[in-house]
């Protein structure tokens, strides 16, 4: 590592400055290169059948990994370009293998997917979505890597249950390469996954989720969807939350994902005496549990569609309840918070810096006027001097006040 340290310092270090940055010193973010090296090694030494599956998958992953790695090195690749790259990997995988998603258990959708062009587009969209979901949950030491290892191992177990040892080996290869990276990343945070690694692992996970039920009709497509529940829900909630932030682009990062709230609301309160790096690392076990439980459910009911659908709905409710409790101090969301018409307008941008400061604070308030959270750069709360004409109603803090009085800008 010391031989390449000057290169890391120049090209690949992840700065400690940013809305989602929680590490205490700049760290190299090219862990994806190590994972790719492990997967290529597995491809070289594997038996012919798993080697063929892995080879096609690695070739298809080139666009996703390349664009992610370029972003790691330059910080200049747009979110949309990376999304297109991950979807392109999905299209390339369809071309190389002839596999697409054609059965979802939803009759109207299955009819649409009977047309090859729509099947390819849907598959590419699903693959790109899961790949970006892994990038979204990559916020703390060991979080994304541990979750991916659990999910890939779970699909490997499902493949073994139907006698597909080749596909099971590929899943276990991916899980093993990921755990090798995690040994460096967790708990010390010596190396980060980076966008390249997140997109690579996300693509591998997504393609295994596509190919497993395609090769084995007895396995329900809901089973592999349920395995990916945690990152899929994180993307869904993130899209909804960011849609509410008027005046800010939906692709713009924030620090109110579930793992951020776990870090602030649970870990830092339970372990205030620990160093920041240990608090960072202790955030990951709860998301690991949130990943393992639906995976266990999927393995147990892999051929039972009603139970799989029920489990997916159950975990949606559980995720929403936990998120609401950690963000709004209640077990359900305020109707005001879910209303996009109550979002921030462009006149509020001058408060951006102070809002970002409040977003990372320990003592975060809830708007008592409309019920919206005040640590999410939320749809209503803004911190400005009382003389500002945009102010309409005061915001009382449940856990203490901040420099500058908070006001609800969306109150009637």
């Amino acid at each position: 590592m010391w031989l390449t340290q000057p290169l890391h310092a120049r090209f690949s270090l992840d700065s400690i400055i940013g809305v989602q940055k929680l590490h205490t010193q700049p760290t190299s973010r090219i862990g994806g290169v190590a994972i790719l090296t492990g997967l290529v090694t597995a491809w070289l030494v594997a038996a012919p059948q798993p080697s063929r599956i892995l080879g096609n998958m690695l070739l298809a992953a080139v666009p996703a990994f390349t664009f992610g790695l370029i972003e790691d090195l330059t910080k200049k690749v747009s979110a949309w370009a990376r999304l297109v790259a991950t979807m392109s990997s999905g299209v390339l995988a369809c071309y190389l293998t002839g596999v697409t998603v054609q059965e979802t258990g939803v009759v109207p959708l299955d009819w649409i997917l009977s047309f090859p062009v729509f099947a390819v587009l849907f598959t590419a969209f699903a693959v790109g979505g899961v790949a970006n979901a892994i990038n979204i949950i990559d916020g703390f030491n060991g979080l994304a890597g541990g979750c991916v290892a659990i999910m890939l191992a779970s699909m490997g177990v499902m493949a073994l249950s139907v006698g597909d040892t080749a596909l099971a080996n590929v899943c276990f290869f991916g899980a093993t390469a990921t755990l090798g990276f995690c040994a460096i990343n967790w708990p010390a945070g010596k190396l980060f996954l980076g966008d390249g690694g997140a997109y690579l692992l996300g693509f591998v996970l997504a393609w295994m989720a596509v190919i497993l039920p395609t090769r084995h009709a007895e396995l329900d497509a809901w089973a592999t969807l349920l395995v990916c529940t945690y990152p899929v829900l994180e993307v869904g909630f993130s899209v909804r939350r960011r849609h509410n932030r008027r005046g800010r682009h939906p692709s713009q990062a924030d620090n109110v994902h579930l793992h951020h709230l776990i870090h602030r609301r649970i870990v830092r309160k339970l372990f205030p005496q620990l160093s920041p790096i240990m608090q960072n690392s202790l955030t990951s076990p709860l998301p690991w549990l949130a990943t393992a439980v639906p995976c266990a459910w999927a393995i147990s009911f892999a051929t039972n569609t009603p139970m799989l659908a029920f489990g997916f709905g159950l975990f949606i409710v559980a995720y929403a309840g936990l998120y609401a409790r950690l963000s709004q101090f209640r077990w359900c969301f305020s109707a005001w918070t879910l209303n996009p018409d109550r979002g921030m307008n462009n006149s509020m941008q001058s408060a951006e810096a102070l809002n970002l400061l409040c977003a990372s604070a320990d003592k975060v308030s809830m708007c008592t006027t409309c019920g919206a959270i005040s640590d999410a750069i939320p749809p209503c709360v803004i911190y400005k001097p009382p003389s500002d004409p945009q102010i309409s109603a005061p915001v009382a803090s449940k856990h203490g006040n901040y420099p500058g009085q908070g006001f609800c800008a969306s109150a009637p």
Side-chain angles (χ1 to χ4, degrees):
M1 188 75 173
W2 62 271
L3 290 174
T4 58
Q5 193 170 21
L7 294 176
H8 294 308
R10 182 176 180 183
F11 296 109
S12 69
L13 288 186
D14 192 27
S15 169
I16 61 174
I17 301 173
V19 67
Q20 293 184 329
K21 308 301 184 182
L22 291 163
H23 51 289
T24 57
Q25 60 183 12
T27 304
S28 176
R29 49 184 286 170
I30 58 170
V33 175
I35 293 174
L36 179 63
T37 301
L39 291 174
V40 170
T41 302
W43 169 65
L44 292 173
V45 302
Q49 193 171 2
S51 179
R52 183 167 58 252
I53 297 171
L54 187 55
N56 286 332
M57 187 172 62
L58 290 175
L59 183 59
V62 168
F65 175 75
T66 301
F67 274 70
L69 184 61
I70 293 173
E71 165 64 12
D72 293 329
L73 298 176
T74 68
K75 319 296 190 294
K76 294 181 180 180
V77 183
S78 70
W80 287 111
R82 285 174 277 147
L83 176 60
V84 170
T86 54
M87 294 179 65
S88 298
S89 285
V91 173
L92 184 56
C94 293
Y95 172 77
L96 292 174
T97 65
V99 173
T100 59
V101 176
Q102 294 183 321
E103 294 186 8
T104 64
V106 180
V107 175
L109 180 58
D110 289 347
W111 179 78
I112 295 174
L113 296 179
S114 65
F115 299 94
V117 63
F118 292 115
V120 171
L121 290 175
F122 180 84
T123 304
F125 177 78
V127 168
V130 172
N132 280 271
I134 299 304
N135 193 40
I136 283 178
I137 68 170
D138 182 27
F140 289 90
N141 296 339
L143 199 161
C147 290
V148 170
I150 291 169
M151 291 183 281
L152 284 175
S154 298
M155 283 193 276
V157 172
M158 293 168 64
L160 283 179
S161 71
V162 292
D164 194 339
T165 56
L167 196 59
N169 284 335
V170 174
C171 292
F172 294 141
F173 290 155
T176 302
T178 305
L179 289 175
F181 159 77
C182 287
I184 307 299
N185 175 247
W186 190 90
K190 296 294 186 182
L191 180 67
F192 288 170
L193 190 58
D195 283 25
Y199 292 140
L200 173 62
L201 287 182
F203 172 76
V204 170
L205 176 68
W207 193 244
M208 289 298 96
V210 168
I211 201 172
L212 181 56
T214 302
R215 287 166 64 100
H216 301 282
E218 65 271 32
L219 293 177
D220 199 291
W222 282 88
T224 52
L225 174 62
L226 192 57
V227 167
C228 301
T229 294
Y230 170 58
V232 168
L233 291 183
E234 189 63 60
V235 167
F237 273 74
S238 297
V239 169
R240 178 60 183 178
R241 181 179 67 251
R242 293 174 181 181
H243 175 68
N244 286 1
R245 302 181 309 174
R246 296 177 64 180
R248 304 180 74 234
H249 197 278
S251 66
Q252 189 172 351
D254 58 30
N255 64 350
V256 281
H257 296 291
L258 180 62
H259 48 269
H260 291 119
L261 295 175
I262 291 171
H263 178 253
R264 287 201 297 273
R265 297 286 196 268
I266 298 177
V267 175
R268 289 173 65 175
K269 292 184 182 300
L270 290 179
F271 307 102
Q273 75 284 2
L274 294 182
S275 65
I277 191 169
M278 289 307 299
Q279 291 178 340
N280 180 315
S281 298
L282 285 175
T283 302
S284 299
L286 190 54
W288 293 344
L289 179 62
T291 300
V293 172
C295 284
W297 188 292
I299 293 171
S300 301
F301 302 103
T303 60
N304 189 329
T305 302
M307 286 299 294
L308 291 169
F310 172 73
F312 189 67
L314 182 65
F315 292 118
I316 291 176
V317 172
Y319 181 101
L322 179 59
Y323 191 97
R325 182 63 187 174
L326 293 177
S327 62
Q328 297 189 0
F329 314 103
R330 60 178 76 183
W331 290 106
C332 61
F333 287 107
S334 162
W336 279 75
T337 304
L338 299 177
N339 187 348
D341 294 330
R342 298 290 183 174
M344 293 177 65
N345 56 47
N346 291 329
S347 66
M348 300 179 185
Q349 296 306 302
S350 62
E352 183 77 2
L354 191 50
N355 274 328
L356 287 173
L357 175 63
C358 294
S360 61
D362 284 322
K363 298 180 179 179
V364 183
S365 62
M366 179 179 69
C367 177
T368 57
T369 302
C370 70
I373 51 177
S374 63
D375 69 334
I377 311 177
C380 74
V381 174
I382 183 169
Y383 292 85
K384 285 190 175 183
S387 61
D388 193 289
Q390 294 295 329
I391 288 172
S392 58
V395 173
S397 171
K398 183 174 182 180
H399 291 283
N401 294 318
Y402 298 98
Q405 180 61 51
F407 290 85
C408 179
S410 66

